[in-house]
Amino acid sequence: MSAPVRRGAPPGEVRIVGGRWRRSKLPVPPLPGLRPTPDRVRETLFNWLGQHLHGWRCVDAFAGTGALGLEAASRGAVEVVLVERQPQLLRALHEHVQRLQGASDVVRVVGGEALGVLAGLPAARWHLVLLDPPFDGGAALFEAALRQARRLVAADGLAYLEAPQPWDEARLASLGWAVQRHLRAGQVHAHLLRPLDNLQP
């Protein structure tokens, strides 16, 4: 969520769309280029996922404002890991977790580079891995994040990818993924991905 799509100041807050913290507003640090996932895209994503994530374990690998991961926790996830490297955003994430009642029981904020943190998480444990890499990070970053996510998800798990362009099926298949749903909203392409069964090592 920390990738620039346009110049200028980010919105001053994000809003949790559903679940126990529905309508909670979270302040956003004034960092130029910050790109929170729009409410409409988050609402669509959680419509795809079925609204309730009771018992799910989730990783928000490029957390930024934390809107995606906190939305998952609001909707019943039992474990959510928020990964962010930017110090100001890290402070804000810790504040969000303290502000939202019960969040500290299920949400863990981890500082560091996303790929390194993902590499240290247990494999085949997670129901949902959320990937919103910097849009200017290059194809190698996206591919590395998708590979790590494929290692992390359970057999029936899913990944969510935001990107500045759609990812074609052949390219995703080479990384062990198939597209389940796709949405374009302005300059954002949102993909819900499921793991392929025939991934080769």
Side-chain angles (χ1 to χ4, degrees):
M1 292 181 186
S2 53
V5 167
R6 61 182 183 277
R7 299 294 181 185
E13 61 188 20
V14 293
R15 179 179 61 93
I16 294 179
V17 176
R20 59 175 165 167
W21 304 317
R22 184 181 180 185
R23 298 191 181 92
S24 295
K25 296 178 179 179
L26 306 175
V28 173
L31 299 177
L34 189 66
R35 182 181 48 79
T37 301
D39 289 0
R40 182 169 72 88
V41 175
R42 277 187 286 124
E43 188 169 14
T44 299
L45 169 62
F46 287 94
N47 285 337
W48 290 345
L49 296 173
Q51 296 293 333
H52 302 295
L53 275 59
H54 297 301
W56 287 35
R57 294 183 173 91
C58 308
V59 181
D60 189 350
F62 301 85
T65 65
L68 286 172
L70 291 171
E71 189 80 43
S74 180
R75 294 170 185 260
V78 295
E79 182 179 2
V80 176
V81 178
L82 304 178
V83 183
E84 178 54 51
R85 67 177 181 176
Q86 210 284 341
Q88 196 170 349
L89 290 172
L90 269 175
R91 287 193 296 271
L93 290 174
H94 282 291
E95 290 169 2
H96 296 342
V97 171
Q98 293 305 312
R99 181 179 297 113
L100 297 169
Q101 184 175 7
S104 60
D105 295 334
V106 297
V107 180
R108 176 162 56 102
V109 179
V110 179
E113 295 287 342
L115 296 180
V117 174
L118 293 180
L121 294 175
R125 169 184 172 86
W126 307 91
H127 299 93
L128 178 64
V129 177
L130 299 155
L131 301 174
D132 187 3
F135 278 12
D136 59 356
L141 174 62
F142 280 79
E143 290 181 1
L146 285 164
R147 286 193 185 95
Q148 287 286 1
R150 181 62 183 82
R151 183 186 69 84
L152 293 176
V153 295
D156 59 349
L158 298 164
Y160 168 75
L161 175 69
E162 281 190 28
Q165 68 281 318
W167 278 61
D168 66 71
E169 293 186 8
R171 191 177 180 193
L172 285 166
S174 71
L175 299 168
W177 294 105
V179 177
Q180 184 161 306
R181 306 295 287 268
H182 172 262
L183 164 73
R184 180 178 182 180
Q187 294 175 296
V188 172
H189 287 266
H191 310 72
L192 185 63
L193 308 175
R194 59 176 176 80
L196 288 173
D197 295 333
N198 61 346
L199 177 65
Q200 299 298 314

